[in-house]
Amino acid sequence: MTASTLDDFDDSVTIYKATGPPDHWVTTLNTGIWGFTPDNETGWDRLDEGDIVLFHSTGKDTEGGRWDSGIVGYGIAGEKRRKEEPLWRTEFEVSENQYPFVVDLEATYWRGDVDDVSSATVAEKSDGRLDADIEALLRNRLTLDRTKEATGDRFPVMGSFNEPSHGEQYLELLHEAPLTAVRYRQREATGEDTARGIVDETDFSHLFGGELELDTAGLFDGLYFGSDERKRIRSATVSAVQSGKHIVFTGPPGTGKTELAENLCRALEGNEQYTGYRLTTATADWSTFDTVGGYMPREEAGGSLEFKPGQVLKRLPTADAARNELLVVDEINRADIDKAFGQLFTVLSGQAVQLPFEKDGAEVEIIPGEDVDPAVGPAPHEYAVPGSWRLFATMNSYDKTSLYEMSYAFMRRFAFVRVGAPTLPDDDEALEELMVEYDRAWGADGADRPERLSVGRVWRAVNGATEERAIGPAIVKDMLEFVRTQPADAGDAAFDRALTEAVLSYVFPQLEGVPKRRRIVESVAEIDRIDDIRLIESAREMLQIELSTDG
């Protein structure tokens, strides 16, 4: 049985850690196998099917190259067997079966960018290609500093295989970030090693069909909205997901759009259809190469070209990867939508599309999940779009021209859910109560914190001066954290300077190009804890507006 969340593991499972050089973990990713030397046969003996193996990568590869150590992922132990042929880099170099005792992993889960790791065998890879694979696999690794911070103990780096005392905590720490699940083709009766791919038909069938359940309990984690706003956002989001729509969260900067999108992904990950989610940020340079894919040189084949999938296709099931990852595109209106999405307009409407590229001798196709036989899976040249797959995006509503530059063909494929800035009360007592609610949502306690009201007054002054450029709670959170870096006994003058600098650092950058920015600065300058002279002088330099410093 494979598992993708911590709740899937029962109490009988033992958590081990295996230590090895990073190039060995690249081989494990591609084969789903980990090996033991004859000296460590006892460790192999005590490993049971269903146990968890944490993947600890050392700071050196087998050629002496230096890398960042850390925990790169974990696997679920399957059958144990003996092998006869070389598999790892060192075995090929010395033509010796150094790790004869192996375990076939049912599935593996990785922190790194496994899509960027070549599926060729280690014997076929150049040193440059293998180095690039190691770099991709080590991205976003769980650092040993982080494990010590969380447990208070050093991670047990000594020994190639043992049972660490904080195994469950290490597993929980791995799950703090999105993991990519990889499953493997069924091994033949001969025990022949197989490539990265599919375990069996059930590993494909769970990606397609089935009802989606959406537990919204964590939808607003780390965020605060009034009860009516919570109901509106929850209702709009649930309706969009269950009706098959993709979603664009739109609103002013700092209102929690990205957090909502990621929380939504985490809520959906409880469904067996999904193998994780990815977050990427759009740029003005995006083209269909970034989203769909295109040809790239193949190092192992003398520079010949091969098709490499883009951000969207990397999330979809194909012949060598049973994946269905949700995708979050942050700031989607930074990209030229028509240029960047191209053929994806057709894909987002649930239709098949043929791409002008070849893979394994056939034209690349994107097909609806309903056209896939779950017992067989997609062909090598096909990328399937499960009915459950969703694209979520965020968009800054102040860039209104970008909204209208989107074609109606694109817009009608999405539900637009507005995430607005709150209406702030005129009364200071009510304002402070509201600030307490936000502060609690961000993890602070409910104790009296005098800086809350001062920061709240700045927020009210900015949003009340004009509706043209309201700011959201995330910017206010940044200001609070900035002000709180001051020692408690620093005095009133130090607090005033810190509050003013917080405005310059976090509010002023939002006012670039705003026609009524003068009015906003004047309103903030009237707050009694603001250093108005410093504010006005900075407004001249940063925002090109002249205000009098008299009085």
Side-chain angles (χ1 to χ4, degrees):
M1 171 184 172
T2 60
S4 59
T5 67
L6 295 174
D7 294 337
D8 293 330
F9 302 116
D10 59 48
D11 295 335
S12 65
V13 168
T14 302
I15 300 176
Y16 296 96
K17 75 91 187 176
T19 293
D23 45 321
H24 280 200
W25 291 119
V26 170
T27 297
T28 295
L29 165 64
N30 285 332
T31 63
I33 297 169
W34 186 247
F36 297 76
T37 65
D39 291 342
N40 206 5
E41 184 180 356
T42 55
W44 178 74
D45 278 336
R46 71 175 186 266
L47 184 64
D48 292 326
E49 191 168 341
D51 284 345
I52 298 167
V53 181
L54 303 173
F55 302 155
H56 169 229
S57 179
T58 59
K60 288 185 179 180
D61 63 28
T62 55
E63 292 292 303
R66 292 192 171 275
W67 301 92
D68 294 322
S69 64
I71 306 176
V72 294
Y74 69 93
I76 312 299
E79 294 183 0
K80 294 182 293 186
R81 58 185 173 87
R82 298 190 182 192
K83 73 173 180 65
E84 301 296 335
E85 300 299 324
L87 183 62
W88 282 276
R89 185 187 199 179
T90 51
E91 293 182 314
F92 282 110
E93 290 172 348
V94 299
S95 300
E96 180 182 335
N97 185 24
Q98 298 174 322
Y99 304 92
F101 303 99
V102 299
V103 56
D104 292 328
L105 300 167
E106 293 184 2
T108 55
Y109 300 85
W110 304 87
R111 276 284 197 101
D113 292 335
V114 300
D115 296 325
D116 292 340
V117 177
S118 167
S119 59
T121 68
V122 69
E124 298 170 332
K125 295 180 182 182
S126 66
D127 289 343
R129 176 67 262 177
L130 188 54
D131 285 352
D133 289 347
I134 292 172
E135 181 180 343
L137 198 64
L138 292 178
R139 288 177 198 145
N140 203 31
R141 75 198 182 286
L142 175 60
T143 67
L144 302 190
D145 286 343
R146 176 72 182 104
T147 64
K148 184 177 181 180
E149 174 190 342
T151 66
D153 292 334
R154 291 176 60 86
F155 183 82
V157 297
M158 303 302 293
S160 61
F161 187 80
N162 53 48
E163 183 179 345
S165 57
H166 298 289
E168 290 187 8
Q169 285 180 272
Y170 298 143
L171 190 61
E172 290 175 356
L173 292 172
L174 276 170
H175 275 264
E176 286 182 341
L179 299 173
T180 300
V182 178
R183 296 173 175 83
Y184 302 87
R185 292 190 181 93
Q186 188 68 41
R187 273 88 181 175
E188 302 294 338
T190 60
E192 180 182 355
D193 299 335
T194 58
R196 194 155 111 201
I198 312 306
V199 178
D200 54 34
E201 65 182 39
T202 60
D203 285 316
F204 261 127
S205 62
H206 77 277
L207 302 180
F208 302 100
E211 295 293 326
L212 284 181
E213 295 183 4
L214 181 52
D215 182 1
T216 60
L219 187 60
F220 300 102
D221 283 354
L223 301 169
Y224 174 76
F225 294 96
S227 58
D228 290 343
E229 189 72 351
R230 288 170 71 97
K231 290 177 183 176
R232 183 190 64 79
I233 293 173
R234 181 186 288 111
S235 176
T237 300
V238 171
S239 297
V241 168
Q242 294 184 339
S243 65
K245 286 284 190 181
H246 307 284
I247 298 177
V248 174
F249 292 101
T250 180
T255 52
K257 302 181 292 297
T258 306
E259 290 83 352
L260 267 174
E262 290 198 83
N263 286 347
L264 178 56
C265 289
R266 296 186 186 102
L268 285 169
E269 279 185 308
N271 292 275
E272 65 175 359
Q273 292 96 324
Y274 299 110
T275 59
Y277 80 91
R278 288 297 178 95
L279 170 68
T280 186
T281 302
T283 72
D285 296 327
W286 264 22
S287 67
T288 53
F289 183 86
D290 300 279
T291 57
V292 178
Y295 286 128
M296 288 285 288
R298 180 191 286 119
E299 284 193 33
E300 293 81 12
S304 62
L305 299 177
E306 65 177 339
F307 176 75
K308 289 290 188 181
Q311 288 289 351
V312 174
L313 266 59
K314 283 181 180 180
R315 316 278 77 85
L316 303 176
T318 190
D320 62 352
R323 61 179 172 239
N324 178 17
E325 295 180 349
L326 299 156
L327 178 63
V328 178
V329 180
D330 206 20
E331 303 288 355
I332 194 171
N333 49 331
R334 289 186 181 181
D336 182 334
I337 299 300
D338 289 337
K339 180 181 77 171
F341 277 76
Q343 301 96 329
L344 292 178
F345 287 128
T346 304
V347 173
L348 293 174
S349 64
Q351 302 175 52
V353 63
Q354 198 167 57
L355 302 178
F357 307 104
E358 288 192 359
K359 183 179 180 182
D360 294 337
E363 290 187 321
V364 177
E365 291 185 87
I366 311 174
I367 61 174
E370 61 192 32
D371 293 346
V372 176
D373 181 351
V376 178
H381 66 284
E382 293 176 334
Y383 292 84
V385 185
S388 59
W389 185 76
R390 297 289 186 274
L391 187 156
F392 303 133
T394 71
M395 186 174 68
N396 182 349
S397 60
Y398 288 151
D399 297 328
K400 292 182 179 179
T401 55
S402 294
L403 171 63
Y404 296 115
E405 285 173 1
M406 290 182 181
S407 66
Y408 287 110
F410 183 85
M411 292 175 62
R412 68 183 178 83
R413 287 162 171 77
F414 287 82
F416 285 76
V417 177
R418 177 166 176 75
V419 185
T423 300
L424 302 173
D426 295 328
D427 178 67
D428 275 358
E429 184 176 348
L431 177 63
E432 187 164 19
E433 290 176 0
L434 181 63
M435 291 296 295
V436 169
E437 295 298 330
Y438 276 105
D439 217 7
R440 283 174 174 163
W442 298 328
D445 58 35
D448 181 38
R449 306 292 290 269
E451 68 273 13
R452 284 177 178 146
L453 181 57
S454 295
V455 172
R457 285 170 173 161
V458 171
W459 192 11
R460 182 173 61 195
V462 173
N463 288 12
T466 174
E467 296 180 358
E468 190 176 50
R469 190 54 62 100
I471 60 174
I475 297 170
V476 177
K477 179 185 178 185
D478 290 338
M479 285 195 290
L480 270 176
E481 291 175 347
F482 185 96
V483 171
R484 286 172 178 166
T485 61
Q486 299 299 307
D489 58 353
D492 290 348
F495 176 84
D496 294 353
R497 285 194 300 270
L499 181 62
T500 305
E501 290 300 323
V503 173
L504 303 183
S505 297
Y506 300 107
V507 176
F508 272 25
Q510 302 297 326
L511 304 182
E512 289 284 351
V514 177
K516 297 180 181 179
R517 58 190 181 278
R518 172 189 292 272
R519 183 186 303 175
I520 297 173
V521 175
E522 288 174 337
S523 296
V524 174
E526 293 175 359
I527 298 173
D528 58 1
R529 300 308 302 269
I530 288 290
D531 182 344
D532 58 339
I533 295 178
R534 168 77 172 133
L535 190 83
I536 291 170
E537 290 175 347
S538 298
R540 181 183 304 118
E541 176 184 344
M542 298 174 65
L543 301 175
Q544 294 77 52
I545 57 176
E546 293 286 345
L547 296 173
S548 173
T549 58
D550 294 342

